[in-house]
Amino acid sequence: MTPLSLSFSSLLKNKDSLQKFFNCYNAFQAQHDLPRYFGNRTPWKKALIPVISKNSVNPDTIFANNEMSLGDIEIYGFDYDYTLAFYSRHLHTLIFNIARDILIQEHRYPEGLREYEYIPNFVVRGLHYDVQKALLMKIDAFHYIQLGTVYRGLHPVPDKEVIAMYDGCHVPLENMSDFYGKSSHGHTMKQFMDIFSLPEMNLLCSVNDYFMKHNIDYEPVHLYKDVKEAIGDVHVKGIMYRAVEADIENYISYGQQTHAVLKKLYEDGKKMFLITNSPFDFVDRGMNYIVGKDWRDLFDIVIVQADKPGFFNDRRKPFRRVTDKGVLHWDRIHKLEKGKIYKQGNLYEFLRLTGWRGSKVLYFGDHIYSDLADLTLKHGWRTGAIIPELRKEIKIMNTEECVHLMTWLQGLTGLIEHMQVHRDPASQAVVQEWIEEREAMRSQTKDIFNGQFGSLFRTYHNPTYFSRRLSRFADIYMASLSCLLNYDFHHTFFPRRTPLQHESPFWPEQTSAGALKMPFIPLHNHN
């Protein structure tokens, strides 16, 4: 048995033991010809790291932020885009290309921008954009910028420069975006919460990159507004809708088993409704492809062009009935009937006409703000967030590389926390080496998910601003509606009871340094 197979608690009782451990640590390094700072696939992982659990997370799981029983749900509501219909990456490329061309043709931007193409894995959802400084970045739940994730154009900004610009890493509340993630008067930040915003972020970075590369003096605020308007035109003018309808098989990813979910709910006697911002022709074409021509028979109410989030707050807009050919009726709406199509309207009128109130209603959407926030805060509906990125991130988390990396990172963090009390030069030198190794490993964990911005859900150690909003506004969340097929309609979802910082955990290594008298981080013999 090598000395390294002993528990850390028996080795690290004082500074002499600390030095002894470090000597053994170096001896083990030399014995196995390991690099000073470990790479991703070196044999130290299997030798040093106890694999905490070999149980992988099922990507088709439904995760709970709040306890909720499907047995209490009588009515199911849905958004359309990225909830019932999922799109291929071809759609993001299409939106990017059209908006780029609008900038050139209608806003007189340089022809050289045509050299830029959509970069599929460059950005992640939930990022913030500083409109005045033209910087794209990831911010955590406490309004702190994650260093290493700040980009000007297509290139990272050095940490020292970021700290100088923001006088640290904290973004004051008054500079953050408004409730719906928008940059409004008095706010300098815009948060991109919509999956459709991925091409917008790409375009902002591309245009910034072109201007900087060619030493063109420009006003960042004008650039942001022009890109925002160009992206808006792709939707408002119907360009995207027509393109998708003309080549639907290329743009809609069929395979999320949406039809099976809707059929299961219908056969169980659940009422269903659709509230979407998309126009009827676009929705009808997509649902015919996904579900079939009889898709409207499954829904009790269909509302298009709802103008969310205004739909949930503006009491002034009445409903209008629309024919299959898009003709608007002028008659007053006294009830919402199955088989008919309605547009605009507002939630207060919807509640009055249907009587569908409170926790018996569950609404699914992909936009944390526009789809879910008002429903849970103001109306007491239950909410389900559809997060397509979740499936990819869970698959990454399940890899042996990620499990080993995260396990060692957690152990190393606990080691630093416990041993930092030794202030003599030799001990501090050891701790400093561990700190440097930890910093290198934290960058590795970020790069596993996305080389520029890391995970959608976590900064180095804190939840992201996106995660904070997700946990606040969604009772449950999942990768797609198909996850519902794994549960019966009496299933109760329970959130995990994770210990608060002051509560006694089941696993000692989760405890902060001062909470237990003796640190204990097990290290098993793998000889």
Side-chain angles (χ1 to χ4, degrees):
M1 180 184 297
T2 65
L4 284 173
S5 65
L6 302 175
S7 69
F8 286 157
S9 59
S10 64
L11 281 169
L12 305 181
K13 293 178 179 177
N14 53 53
K15 62 182 181 181
D16 293 330
S17 296
L18 177 65
Q19 188 60 51
K20 179 181 178 181
F21 172 79
F22 185 61
N23 291 338
C24 295
Y25 183 93
N26 282 339
F28 185 86
Q29 261 187 332
Q31 179 183 350
H32 292 273
D33 193 27
L34 301 182
R36 193 66 171 176
Y37 298 107
F38 303 121
N40 282 343
R41 294 177 174 82
T42 47
W44 65 272
K45 292 179 178 177
K46 291 183 179 179
L48 284 179
I49 296 179
V51 178
I52 292 177
S53 174
K54 293 185 178 180
N55 295 326
S56 297
V57 177
N58 184 351
D60 292 320
T61 300
I62 294 178
F63 302 92
N65 292 318
N66 190 21
E67 185 174 328
M68 189 192 79
S69 174
L70 293 181
D72 297 330
I73 307 300
E74 301 174 10
I75 304 125
Y76 286 76
F78 305 92
D79 181 32
Y80 175 69
D81 297 302
Y82 287 106
T83 300
L84 295 176
F86 284 76
Y87 300 99
S88 69
R89 285 182 173 175
H90 297 300
L91 183 62
H92 293 160
T93 301
L94 175 75
I95 295 171
F96 178 93
N97 290 341
I98 296 173
R100 178 200 60 201
D101 294 345
I102 289 175
L103 285 178
I104 296 170
Q105 296 166 7
E106 299 183 16
H107 295 269
R108 301 186 180 278
Y109 275 62
E111 282 285 338
L113 287 176
R114 295 191 194 277
E115 300 173 3
Y116 289 84
E117 296 180 351
Y118 179 71
I119 308 172
N121 296 311
F122 181 68
V123 296
V124 298
R125 194 155 48 124
L127 300 178
H128 280 79
Y129 183 76
D130 190 319
V131 175
Q132 296 178 341
K133 295 183 174 67
L135 298 177
L136 188 66
M137 68 193 73
K138 187 161 73 168
I139 295 178
D140 73 12
F142 299 94
H143 295 194
Y144 280 90
I145 300 167
Q146 180 181 356
L147 294 177
T149 68
V150 180
Y151 275 71
R152 180 184 287 116
L154 299 174
H155 302 281
V157 180
D159 293 348
K160 289 184 179 179
E161 188 176 336
V162 174
I163 293 170
M165 282 191 291
Y166 290 93
D167 193 23
C169 297
H170 185 261
V171 179
L173 178 62
E174 60 268 20
N175 292 343
M176 296 295 285
S177 57
D178 68 9
F179 182 78
Y180 296 103
K182 298 177 181 178
S183 177
S184 56
H185 179 70
H187 301 101
T188 61
M189 292 287 186
K190 149 77 177 178
Q191 188 182 18
F192 292 101
M193 295 292 275
D194 191 350
I195 301 177
F196 280 129
S197 65
L198 297 180
E200 182 175 357
M201 286 186 275
N202 262 267
L203 187 57
L204 275 169
C205 291
S206 297
V207 180
N208 274 307
D209 185 76
Y210 180 88
F211 284 164
M212 289 187 297
K213 188 179 291 184
H214 293 83
N215 296 315
I216 299 174
D217 187 28
Y218 67 101
E219 171 54 62
V221 175
H222 296 331
L223 169 59
Y224 166 73
K225 290 182 177 179
D226 289 345
V227 170
K228 179 182 178 182
E229 183 178 333
I231 291 288
D233 284 347
V234 176
H235 297 270
V236 173
K237 293 182 178 180
I239 304 172
M240 183 195 80
Y241 300 133
R242 290 192 294 271
V244 172
E245 290 176 41
D247 192 9
I248 200 161
E249 293 184 5
N250 187 43
Y251 292 112
I252 289 187
S253 299
Y254 186 75
Q256 295 298 331
Q257 298 177 286
T258 298
H259 188 190
V261 172
L262 297 177
K263 183 179 179 181
K264 182 180 179 182
L265 290 167
Y266 179 80
E267 291 176 348
D268 201 68
K270 305 297 183 183
K271 294 184 179 298
M272 290 186 284
F273 64 93
L274 173 65
I275 301 178
T276 176
N277 286 348
S278 295
F280 174 70
D281 288 345
F282 179 71
V283 174
D284 185 51
R285 181 78 173 90
M287 291 297 284
N288 280 338
Y289 176 72
I290 298 169
V291 176
K293 293 184 178 181
D294 60 346
W295 70 269
R296 287 164 59 182
D297 294 340
L298 300 175
F299 290 89
D300 294 89
I301 298 172
V302 176
I303 300 168
V304 298
Q305 293 177 271
D307 193 27
K308 296 179 292 182
F311 179 87
F312 299 125
N313 298 291
D314 190 348
R315 298 171 181 261
R316 295 170 296 178
K317 291 183 179 179
F319 285 107
R320 294 196 72 172
R321 191 159 63 87
V322 188
T323 67
D324 292 355
K325 297 181 180 180
V327 178
L328 292 173
H329 285 257
W330 61 84
D331 52 317
R332 185 187 294 272
I333 303 300
H334 295 284
K335 61 179 179 178
L336 299 174
E337 301 178 63
K338 184 170 182 174
K340 295 183 178 179
I341 308 299
Y342 303 91
K343 69 175 289 187
Q344 295 179 346
N346 65 82
L347 184 65
Y348 297 93
E349 187 69 2
F350 180 90
L351 296 176
R352 186 182 71 82
L353 295 174
T354 63
W356 294 348
R357 298 177 181 274
S359 57
K360 66 181 180 181
V361 185
L362 172 58
Y363 185 80
F364 292 96
D366 69 290
H367 199 300
I368 309 300
Y369 296 144
S370 296
D371 287 327
L372 309 180
D374 288 313
L375 292 177
T376 187
L377 292 177
K378 298 180 181 179
H379 303 286
W381 284 13
R382 309 312 292 264
T383 51
I386 305 299
I387 313 292
E389 303 94 332
L390 187 63
R391 183 169 279 114
K392 178 183 177 181
E393 292 221 3
I394 289 176
K395 289 180 179 179
I396 293 173
M397 288 166 51
N398 286 339
T399 62
E400 184 177 355
E401 177 185 21
C402 188
V403 170
H404 285 171
L405 193 61
M406 293 304 298
T407 304
W408 179 241
L409 182 60
Q410 181 176 326
L412 192 59
T413 301
L415 195 61
I416 293 168
E417 184 179 19
H418 285 84
M419 301 318 300
Q420 62 184 326
V421 297
H422 300 289
R423 300 300 180 185
D424 61 281
S427 300
Q428 284 296 297
V430 175
V431 172
Q432 184 58 39
E433 286 221 13
W434 289 340
I435 291 173
E436 292 172 4
E437 181 182 342
R438 178 174 178 265
E439 287 301 310
M441 293 179 67
R442 291 169 79 187
S443 294
Q444 291 177 37
T445 59
K446 175 182 77 72
D447 294 345
I448 285 178
F449 294 96
N450 176 278
Q452 295 71 239
F453 300 99
S455 168
L456 170 65
F457 301 97
R458 182 173 291 280
T459 59
Y460 286 139
H461 52 276
N462 287 331
T464 58
Y465 199 86
F466 177 91
S467 287
R468 182 182 185 181
R469 296 303 196 184
L470 174 64
S471 63
R472 178 66 183 89
F473 300 141
D475 291 291
I476 55 176
Y477 64 99
M478 65 209 75
S480 71
L481 282 177
S482 63
C483 299
L484 279 170
L485 297 173
N486 300 322
Y487 303 85
D488 64 40
F489 292 132
H490 295 282
H491 187 89
T492 299
F493 297 100
F494 297 95
R496 296 178 184 174
R497 185 180 175 87
T498 53
L500 300 175
Q501 294 298 310
H502 66 277
E503 292 180 326
S504 176
F506 291 103
W507 303 107
E509 64 267 24
Q510 293 179 322
T511 305
S512 60
L516 292 181
K517 293 181 179 180
M518 181 63 69
F520 175 74
I521 304 177
L523 191 61
H524 303 300
N525 180 15
H526 289 265
N527 286 346

